[in-house]
Amino acid sequence: MDYSKMCPKYELAADLLCKRWTGLIIRVLMGGPKRFKDIKEQIPDMSDKMLTDRMKELESVGVLTRTVYPEMPVRIEYELTDKGRDMKEVIESIQVWGDKWM
């Protein structure tokens, strides 16, 4: 790997993953589909607006899907796509590094 120049794909990936809360949302969804309130319970310091904004962004880049179930009341679930699940090793390696150094 050539570290002497910046790779635009690395830069885009780092920009996405390093936004505040994004890695935490992805980590929560690694456990399977979740409703908004379930994600919020696991990340209580994040505002509803921020969670909504991050979820829309992750959906727009194909990392997660939003499924609306036409029930009464309406149920909405968020789930990682293959692209999102493919971040598993990245998320786990951050956890390993954190366990060792933080």
Side-chain angles (χ1 to χ4, degrees):
M1 189 155 303
D2 181 5
Y3 294 110
S4 66
K5 53 189 167 187
M6 186 53 62
C7 170
K9 290 180 182 179
Y10 176 87
E11 190 174 353
L12 289 171
D15 284 346
L16 175 69
L17 193 55
C18 294
K19 282 188 180 171
R20 184 157 188 191
W21 309 113
T22 300
L24 298 177
I25 293 167
I26 293 169
R27 188 178 189 281
V28 167
L29 290 173
M30 286 286 168
K34 301 275 186 295
R35 296 175 71 174
F36 187 94
K37 69 178 185 67
D38 299 325
I39 298 166
K40 185 75 172 106
E41 280 178 15
Q42 289 191 285
I43 314 172
D45 293 338
M46 182 175 34
S47 71
D48 288 357
K49 181 183 179 342
M50 183 57 68
L51 178 54
T52 299
D53 291 349
R54 287 294 184 262
M55 299 295 270
K56 285 179 182 177
E57 181 180 16
L58 291 170
E59 184 178 16
S60 74
V61 296
V63 170
L64 64 83
T65 58
R66 178 181 183 266
T67 305
V68 179
Y69 296 94
E71 304 169 346
M72 281 299 168
V74 172
R75 179 172 52 104
I76 300 170
E77 284 187 345
Y78 299 90
E79 182 175 15
L80 293 174
T81 60
D82 289 341
K83 183 177 182 178
R85 284 187 295 275
D86 209 31
M87 290 187 198
K88 183 176 183 176
E89 287 182 29
V90 173
I91 298 299
E92 288 176 349
S93 67
I94 293 170
Q95 180 69 57
V96 168
W97 184 88
D99 288 344
K100 181 175 181 179
W101 295 103
M102 300 307 285

